Amino acid sequence: PCAPFLGFARSAFVASKPSSARPNWLRVGLAFATSAALWAILIRQHHEDVLEYERRKREGEHKCTGCS
């Protein structure tokens, strides 16, 4: 019943197209800062994982019968 009127519906949230001539520098900075923080967390976690892998690898190579 309402299908013909859907083409005339207007969004209440977007009244005009965003202008790319004047970017919102706060949002741009926040996006870059978030990306940098996520990369820093990822790199730190990877470094910790590599250290843990190497520690377990060294423990696995130790085959002394007196220790177990």
Side-chain angles (χ1 to χ4, degrees), residues 43-58:
I43 291 169
R44 188 184 77 213
Q45 184 64 48
H46 173 71
H47 180 68
E48 291 174 2
D49 290 345
V50 168
L51 290 176
E52 179 68 15
Y53 169 78
E54 291 173 351
R55 184 187 67 79
R56 290 184 184 196
K57 189 172 153 188
R58 279 193 310 272

Side-chain angles (χ1 to χ4, degrees), residues 2-49:
C2 297
F5 299 108
L6 288 178
F8 298 107
R10 186 171 173 191
S11 173
F13 300 106
V14 180
S16 64
K17 290 177 68 175
S19 173
S20 60
R22 296 185 61 209
N24 184 343
W25 290 112
L26 179 64
R27 291 182 75 183
V28 171
L30 186 61
F32 276 111
T34 302
S35 179
L38 289 173
W39 273 104
I41 291 169
L42 182 71
I43 291 169
R44 188 184 77 213
Q45 184 64 48
H46 173 71
H47 180 68
E48 291 174 2
D49 290 345

